[in-house]
Amino acid sequence: MNLRSRLAVCVSAFLLAVSTLTAADSRALTLEVDAREAPKKMFHAKLTIPAAPGALTLAYPKWIPGEHGPTGPIADLAGLRFSAAGKLVSWKRDPVDMYLFHLDVPPGADAIEVQLDFLSPAEVGLFSAGSSATSNLALVSWNQLLLYPANRKPDEILVAAALRLPEGWKWATALEPASGQPGNGKGVRFAPVTLTALVDSPVLTGGHFRVVTLADAPPAHRIDIAADSDAALEMSPELEGQYRSLVAETGALFGARHYGHYDFLLTLSDHTAHFGLEHHESSDDRVDERSLIDADRRKLMAGLLPHEMTHSWNGKYRRPSGLGIGSFQEPMRGDLLWVYEGLTEYLGQILSARSGLLTQDQYREDLALTAAEMDHQKGRAWRPLQDTAVAAQVLYGARADWAALRRGVDFYPESELLWLEADTLIRRETRGGKSLDDFCRLFHGGRTGPPTVVPYTFEDVVAALNQVVAHDWRGFWTKRLESTEPGAPLQGVLDGGWRLVYSEEIPDMQRAAEDTRKITDVRYSIGISVREDGTIPDLIPGSPAAAAGLGPGMKLVAVNGRRWSPAILREAIKKSKTQAIELLVESGEFFKTARLDYAGPERYPHLERDSARPDLLLQIIRPLASRPAETKKAKPAS
Ligand SMILES: [Zn+2]
């Protein structure tokens, strides 16, 4: 296999510089980022790019690792100026590829100086291209702040980066400060790394900042937290203990680590985009400001850090050969995202339960909600799961309306059900002797060491599964990935000893989501969810509400002649056996009354124990590691 480590790349870049490359290639590109205006959503950068006289094409990173799409925010690049030897140099954008810039390096010059501004969005945007800075904090994604020679591989380009921050702001990143210059009053200078490693190592910075140390023995594991308030930084000893358990559980599961240290870069703000983005030695995790101190929000974020950390093995160390290895400009191929994201979703959830971040009940409730949602994806009749992975680059940005007919990035939740089925199959066929844990150690373990990428193909996945237990794994996956049958693949739930059922009781995980997100979800009875202001963002095709003429974007005004509220809507569903439900809805400036053909109870998904089968789910979420020692008091920010 093609093993590539950052260290090996650094060394080979130097060797190449001596032997075959021009003098310009051997010098590090320097990048100075000024983030002092981050609170007003403005970043400035200055680059010196070694270059020889003649034509030069510079690239702005387009395909961002982990985002699985061409999400580099090129529209937010502004103030571009090139110069050489003190003179301005004119430039032209490529007429076809918007991410390329052409210029001529004048005779006698040995470098191009670049100045640029990055207009950091206040609201909209996908993943790291979304809102990333507030009055109190910022997440600096290097890929947004640089250009590089388009004819060279990011693995071969060395970058010496420096960063200036607002007065008093602390920072954390996977990067190491340059030796002897941990901070000179004018900002921090980092030791040169490859462009690949730089883009893989964002910086979290802020005025309200705290570092929680998770492991006493090396490698270091930390949660670096920047928040919009000091109050939000509080982490209970119990929660800290659960994250320490997460570190222990990942070690027990994979048997090796592919990083020198691991930093969760946790942003707590109601004014940044909310998502998680994986890196080799860190992750960019962004949630609501009160996520650590509010019980409901804590439940909702339980799976995020386990998911992103799992990616250090599944996604970074082992990566599908088509998913952005060694290039930011080459189109990615998402066909194996059901492994990259789907297996991560499965492992992230069971690691959450194994480490105590989710209780057993919460794990099962979450699984029931996933199973129910996939069971109502009507789009499965036209779009097989495999196509959701191939089309990931367009589906991440797809709207939420008619989601069940479109199918979104179902390769996350539906693959969780499929990997559960694979796990139960292995456990059954080996009479409990083996499990998917053995696959993880075999496929993702290897030797502990610095970040390395080992690409894989579908054949490699099949071969590794066959090493755990002989089975027609090719047929297993092909059938499920290409299926256009109705109904979710629920065999794993059944083989786990549980059944998907519906009752009138709202699952606690759903209630937490409803209270936090201000949404009322009655999709599995009448077919709609409703926002606080009455807007119906989406509904299920073929449901009573859809059959009555409702559509996404309409606004619920009244239920049975009375102004709507969550309680009034739920009451009407409860009484629908004796009184038909009439909804008054507004569509644009037009009103209509819809009479729903529904005479049933409220319906919410749950898992019900099947006592005829062993409880494999319980075995799957049982901790592997012994509990770490008594939680230590968190150390202050460094
Ligand atoms: Zn992921």
Side-chain angles (χ1 to χ4, degrees), residues 278 307-308 311 340-341 344 412:
E278 63 275 17
H307 178 107
E308 300 309 332
H311 271 317
Y340 184 124
E341 294 295 357
T344 300
Y412 288 77

Side-chain angles (χ1 to χ4, degrees), residues 205-224:
T205 176
H208 307 287
F209 203 89
R210 180 182 181 204
V211 179
V212 176
T213 303
L214 293 178
D216 299 319
H221 289 80
R222 293 175 286 257
I223 307 183
D224 311 297

